[in-house]
Amino acid sequence: MTEHAYPDPWPAPTASRPLNATVTIPGSKSLSNRFLILAALGTKPVTLRGLLRSRDTELMMDALRTLGVHCETASNAETTVTVTPPADGHFHGSDTVYCGLAGTVMRFVPGLVLFADGPIRFDGDEQAYQRPMGPILDGLEQLGATIAYEGETGRLPFTITPPLHVHIDGLRRHVAIDSSSSSQFISGLLLIGSRLSGGLDLTHTGEHLPSMPHIRMTMHDVEAAGGHISMPEQGHWIVEPASLELPADVIVEPDLSNAAPFLEAAMIASGSVSIPNWPYITTQPGGLLPGILQHMGASITLDGTPFDEAMRQAQTQPHAYTHRSGTLTLTSNGTIHGLGDYDMSAAGEIAPSIAAAAALADTPSALHGIGHLRGHETNRLAALVTEIKRIGGKAEELSDGLTIEPVPRASLHAAVMESYADHRMATFAAMIGLAVPGIEIRNIATTRKTIPDFPGMWADMLAQR
Ligand SMILES: O=C(O)C1=C[C@@H](OP(=O)(O)O)[C@@H](O)[C@H](O)C1
Ligand SMILES: C=C(OP(=O)(O)O)C(=O)O
């Protein structure tokens, strides 16, 4: 992975004319890290094409290597990686997995320890010590693992010791956890449930469950590996026992959530931005983005067909459209409308990008159902409110989200904006910088969490005519 050096703080470019750009978005973080885990749980090599190569996927591959999995990059393409599970079918214990700040690493890798031949220690960035971990560890304890915490209970760092004997009695294991602070706890258990001799009966005990599309993505990807997960009712899953084996070749979709800053750039600066390889049918929550942005005043087409019509066609003939992708184009005259009261619980990870457009909109937005963003890379609700106020905007925290009130663009002013080691706060600030001269952003390099070279892509988008 090539590393680029950028000044700190980084001067965010303003858009001096309407955009007319095509931007190719790298692979999906969520799909890449699920496929890496599922490939590791199989028995044969799997080649992943279009894999995201950024901090979160490097951390995942390093974690798997620690467990004895081979991850080898093709000599002709950095985004092609072949994953070979350990020959003896057991993960290797007695080492440390470093999670960085990656939710998918800290919540998906612990489940693999059940099938390891020794204890594994998990550590991460200091900021990761603030992220909730309790529910997944609670679930693994219910499956016979032992957890030793080094600091606060329910937080990194800790060591997981697998059960002495993984049960072979064929009885279905029952696990109940409260996953209201992150869907990743449910996903982490669904990913390994097929490997338990009698499968898994998993219940969510809390009131809210965010990011349902990410849970459906997990169910879908486990099915793609030959497993079977049903959801007989909301908050209850049955994972049948199965040997998991992804197809020998898997193609990773572009990260649709990471398309958000680029698409919204055409709303902020006016003009158009096109994203090639946009899947007609996807499990990614970023698939909801075009609908949200249309609501905010953008016009969107997929392969030249109005987006809603393209979706109607894809839904009426799903077989013809599975694995089909096209070019998504957003066009805008630069007028952005607020969202009013809007439930963002399905797609919390795009809330910071939506908040940037909302801060430049002509009517208010109240984003609800995202209280759990307080446990993301940083407390995103507090961070968004602080940064919007820092540039002269109006925003307030709600118990389950935030409100953003319109102010005239001309009253927004230059500032050095913080990124809080959070890739989405950094891209949020870059979006503001398109409209507000003099924005500088601390630690733009933090965008490497899920985009290998965000500043380079941003500059390239602005330079296209
Ligand atoms: O499973 C996944 O790949 C993810 C699930 C979501 O987590 P939360 O449910 O914690 O928001 C999302 O925000 C995160 O970026 C990725
Ligand atoms: C919440 C996010 O990441 P993570 O996978 O670390 O939870 C995110 O990317 O917005």
Side-chain angles (χ1 to χ4, degrees):
M1 209 171 39
T2 325
E3 295 217 3
H4 304 264
Y6 290 103
D8 190 21
W10 177 74
T14 46
S16 52
R17 55 169 189 270
L19 301 186
N20 180 19
T22 297
V23 182
T24 301
I25 303 289
S28 152
K29 165 197 76 174
S30 292
L31 290 172
S32 294
N33 278 354
R34 279 169 175 73
F35 289 141
L36 285 166
I37 292 271
L38 288 167
L41 281 163
T43 60
K44 298 182 199 141
V46 172
T47 299
L48 303 173
R49 296 178 197 279
L51 192 80
L52 174 67
R53 299 303 299 263
S54 70
R55 186 171 188 228
D56 278 15
T57 52
E58 298 309 312
L59 286 163
M60 180 61 92
M61 286 190 277
D62 285 345
L64 294 179
R65 288 185 185 111
T66 301
L67 298 178
V69 177
H70 286 274
C71 300
E72 210 178 307
T73 303
S75 55
N76 58 351
E78 206 185 26
T79 55
T80 300
V81 171
T82 299
V83 183
T84 309
D88 60 2
H90 290 287
F91 297 118
H92 304 170
S94 310
D95 211 334
T96 294
V97 161
Y98 192 78
C99 304
L101 191 52
T104 47
V105 179
M106 65 182 88
R107 277 82 176 252
F108 295 174
V109 180
L112 302 183
V113 182
L114 290 180
F115 318 108
D117 58 14
I120 313 257
R121 180 172 175 267
F122 287 78
D123 203 349
D125 296 354
E126 215 175 305
Q127 208 158 310
Y129 294 4
Q130 303 299 317
R131 299 195 71 178
M133 286 299 303
I136 181 81
L137 301 169
D138 188 9
L140 295 179
E141 278 184 313
Q142 293 174 45
L143 291 168
T146 316
I147 320 293
Y149 293 101
E150 291 173 31
E152 210 183 309
T153 301
R155 308 273 168 186
L156 284 162
F158 49 76
T159 296
I160 308 178
T161 304
L164 214 46
H165 304 287
V166 175
H167 72 87
I168 46 165
D169 55 17
L171 292 178
R172 180 157 293 159
R173 267 20 198 190
H174 287 253
V175 169
I177 59 165
D178 180 352
S179 204
S180 40
S181 56
S182 171
S183 63
Q184 291 173 341
F185 306 128
I186 296 293
S187 285
L189 292 167
L190 294 180
L191 284 167
I192 53 92
S194 319
R195 265 260 194 136
L196 303 174
S197 71
L200 176 67
D201 180 313
L202 177 62
T203 306
H204 161 61
T205 58
E207 232 174 83
H208 308 285
L209 185 55
S211 318
M212 261 318 283
H214 274 116
I215 293 178
R216 290 207 189 89
M217 176 191 281
T218 307
M219 295 169 70
H220 184 269
D221 295 347
V222 168
E223 301 257 344
H228 183 66
I229 304 178
S230 58
M231 190 172 69
E233 64 214 312
Q234 191 65 23
H236 181 201
W237 296 264
I238 309 281
V239 188
E240 301 298 339
S243 9
L244 297 179
E245 209 76 74
L246 277 174
D249 245 74
V250 175
I251 296 175
V252 182
E253 295 171 6
D255 195 307
L256 306 186
S257 295
N258 277 341
F262 298 93
L263 286 171
E264 289 177 53
M267 299 170 70
I268 296 167
S270 82
S272 73
V273 165
S274 291
I275 312 275
N277 310 317
W278 191 280
Y280 274 79
I281 297 179
T282 182
T283 54
Q284 292 186 61
L288 301 170
L289 192 57
I292 299 173
L293 299 183
Q294 288 185 140
H295 212 84
M296 299 182 90
S299 300
I300 302 189
T301 59
L302 184 51
D303 281 336
T305 304
F307 184 76
D308 293 345
E309 176 55 26
M311 285 301 99
R312 255 192 301 280
Q313 286 171 13
Q315 274 146 23
T316 47
Q317 312 165 57
H319 287 300
Y321 284 90
T322 306
H323 302 308
R324 187 166 148 189
S325 62
T327 297
L328 186 99
T329 301
L330 181 148
T331 308
S332 167
N333 62 8
T335 303
I336 304 175
H337 304 308
L339 278 170
D341 278 297
Y342 204 88
D343 182 356
M344 287 289 303
S345 60
E349 73 175 5
I350 57 175
S353 311
I354 297 298
L360 300 166
D362 57 8
T363 54
S365 302
L367 308 182
H368 295 284
I370 49 171
H372 74 293
L373 262 62
R374 294 189 171 90
H376 274 185
E377 281 81 336
T378 186
N379 177 341
R380 283 184 176 161
L381 300 183
L384 286 168
V385 168
T386 303
E387 296 310 305
I388 291 171
K389 286 185 171 167
R390 192 193 296 284
I391 53 160
K394 279 193 197 160
E396 294 301 334
E397 274 189 59
L398 300 169
S399 61
D400 75 333
L402 78 165
T403 56
I404 302 169
E405 298 288 329
V407 297
R409 273 197 195 189
S411 68
L412 299 175
H413 54 73
V416 178
M417 296 180 74
E418 294 295 336
S419 59
Y420 307 86
D422 181 350
H423 56 142
R424 299 206 200 272
M425 288 307 300
T427 51
F428 163 86
M431 292 161 75
I432 299 290
L434 291 175
V436 181
I439 296 293
E440 293 181 85
I441 305 172
R442 284 202 207 282
N443 189 11
I444 193 68
T446 198
T447 50
R448 281 187 51 242
K449 185 173 189 287
T450 59
I451 304 182
D453 180 21
F454 171 77
M457 285 174 70
W458 202 243
D460 181 59
M461 170 184 76
L462 292 168
Q464 291 181 50
R465 285 174 184 273

